[in-house]
Amino acid sequence: MKKIAVLTSGGDAPGMNAAIRAVVRKARYHGVEVVGVYHGYEGLYNENYKPLDIGSVGDIIQRGGTILYSARFPEFKEGDYQEQAIERMKKAGIEGLVVIGGDGSYRGAMQLTEKGFPCVGIPGTIDNDVPGTEYTIGFDTALNTVVDSIDKIRDTATSHENTFVIEVMGRDAGDIALWAGLAGGAESILIPEEKFEIEDIVTRLERGASRGKRHSIIIVAEGVMKGHKLAKQLEERTGVKIRTSVLGHIQRGGSPSARDRVLAGLFGARAVELLIEGKGGRAVGIKNHNVVDYDFKVAFEQKHQADLSLYTLSKELSI
Ligand code: F6P
């Protein structure tokens, strides 16, 4: 393998730049050239490539976002687009592709591999919902951003004796809500993986009030419902004014945590090794502290599950 390409796709995540850097540096270490593909699969289709040398990925390990930009390109699901992209990559001398993104991005990489072009997937999304790995690049940083926000909201909630609903991202996954809720000492955590009863939240609020506690933090994952809707339901039930804070895209930005940078380094390096070893069609991940890789199909069978023991623990710790 003499030349490979790398792209980022789907929602950006802190640590994607560190992963791009790792791919480029590891490939150059082995004498392999790297081409950066700009704007995800759309750029791949439109031949939006630029060579990436060692210097071009200097000073990005600490930067959030992605220097390669990211885009959603639904047309790429169609076979014609994929075949054209393969032809164009081959014309440019590119022999393998590293895709950094979520499960949607993995599907494109799997289809390109099935059509004969070797691709490797690196899990990058704040949602922590990619199959075949316990953790994704970006989750840890987003988690710390959310915990920092909860701490700040708690200061004012305590001073003014307010109850807050805080809506966090995660798409259909509850990992951000669960981990941040536990780390931030939330009184209630609502995640899509677990059914909830409004009465249960009300009971917790009332129990707190009966022992003189007049502030409370309720974390709701966006996959459950809108924070404002939940606050309205609680207001109707309790007669108490409930504030809502929707953290939004602040969760996607910021300098990656040390943990995300290390994950990015491990994943980027392994992805390049796999391509050099001629093993396309693999998704890299981490399991029990070890870097692993699976055939895309096998990875898709291992749907990511939030650690529900944390949910039970959060209930026990927020009595
Ligand atoms: O997948 C990352 C994510 O931030 C999700 O948590 C969220 O649901 C979605 O992307 C938001 O996407 P967009 O920025 O396109 O609205």
Side-chain angles (χ1 to χ4, degrees):
M1 190 136 314
K2 293 204 174 59
K3 196 194 271 189
I4 63 170
V6 56
L7 65 79
T8 48
S9 166
D12 65 346
M16 280 184 163
N17 280 328
I20 296 165
R21 172 184 178 274
V23 168
V24 172
R25 296 271 167 99
K26 177 76 174 172
R28 293 307 301 145
Y29 178 83
H30 291 288
V32 176
E33 280 179 52
V34 185
V35 161
V37 179
Y38 289 75
H39 302 285
Y41 285 111
E42 188 175 353
L44 191 71
Y45 177 72
N46 291 320
E47 296 169 280
N48 197 346
Y49 322 135
K50 231 197 256 170
L52 294 176
D53 58 21
I54 291 175
S56 61
V57 291
D59 208 20
I60 66 167
I61 195 167
Q62 79 286 12
R63 280 170 55 190
T66 160
I67 59 161
L68 294 177
Y69 302 91
S70 193
R72 306 201 194 265
F73 188 52
E75 291 89 332
F76 202 74
K77 288 193 189 108
E78 292 163 31
D80 283 0
Y81 280 82
Q82 295 164 8
E83 276 144 28
Q84 283 277 0
I86 290 176
E87 219 170 277
R88 290 169 182 172
M89 280 192 282
K90 282 187 175 163
K91 205 177 72 199
I94 301 167
E95 296 169 277
L97 173 67
V98 178
V99 171
I100 307 168
D103 54 351
S105 315
Y106 273 20
R107 292 201 186 273
M110 183 171 78
Q111 284 155 353
L112 289 176
T113 307
E114 283 165 359
K115 290 188 157 62
F117 195 89
C119 298
V120 174
I122 293 180
T125 165
I126 63 165
D127 300 336
N128 207 38
D129 63 348
V130 177
T133 188
E134 287 170 353
Y135 298 103
T136 58
I137 297 169
F139 171 62
D140 184 63
T141 308
L143 177 58
N144 281 288
T145 301
V146 174
V147 172
D148 184 51
S149 304
I150 295 173
D151 291 349
K152 287 177 173 145
I153 289 171
R154 183 181 287 285
D155 286 346
T156 181
T158 311
S159 305
H160 289 269
E161 303 189 300
N162 285 330
T163 292
F164 269 85
V165 166
I166 303 177
E167 180 193 313
V168 301
M169 279 187 170
R171 223 170 31 152
D172 303 321
D175 289 56
I176 296 177
L178 186 52
W179 284 70
L182 188 59
E187 278 69 26
S188 295
I189 303 171
L190 274 57
I191 55 172
E193 293 85 350
E194 287 283 341
K195 283 207 177 73
F196 79 98
E197 299 289 340
I198 204 93
E199 281 314 308
D200 183 37
I201 308 174
V202 172
T203 306
R204 284 169 175 273
L205 290 174
E206 287 172 351
R207 205 189 292 147
S210 70
R211 60 179 170 90
K213 187 177 174 191
R214 300 201 191 286
H215 66 271
S216 198
I217 303 281
I218 299 157
I219 304 291
V220 59
E222 64 176 349
V224 175
M225 68 160 84
K226 296 269 179 220
H228 285 102
K229 187 176 170 194
L230 176 65
K232 194 159 174 273
Q233 288 183 9
L234 287 169
E235 275 181 0
E236 279 165 11
R237 179 61 189 76
T238 59
V240 172
K241 168 100 185 115
I242 313 264
R243 265 88 181 160
T244 305
S245 187
V246 180
L247 298 187
H249 287 79
I250 198 168
Q251 296 163 91
R252 287 232 299 255
S255 179
S257 66
R259 190 183 156 84
D260 276 333
R261 297 181 201 191
V262 171
L263 264 193
L266 291 168
F267 290 167
R270 184 68 192 127
V272 171
E273 276 168 9
L274 285 165
L275 286 177
I276 291 174
E277 288 164 13
K279 295 182 190 152
R282 314 286 294 174
V284 300
I286 191 135
K287 215 164 192 182
N288 299 325
H289 307 288
N290 292 314
V291 178
V292 290
D293 57 88
Y294 300 102
D295 184 88
F296 278 125
K297 280 216 173 87
V298 177
F300 278 120
E301 281 159 17
Q302 301 178 43
K303 195 174 164 341
H304 176 81
Q305 297 287 348
D307 181 354
L308 295 181
S309 70
L310 297 181
Y311 185 75
T312 311
L313 177 64
S314 75
K315 291 216 161 207
E316 290 169 358
L317 299 187
S318 62
I319 44 169

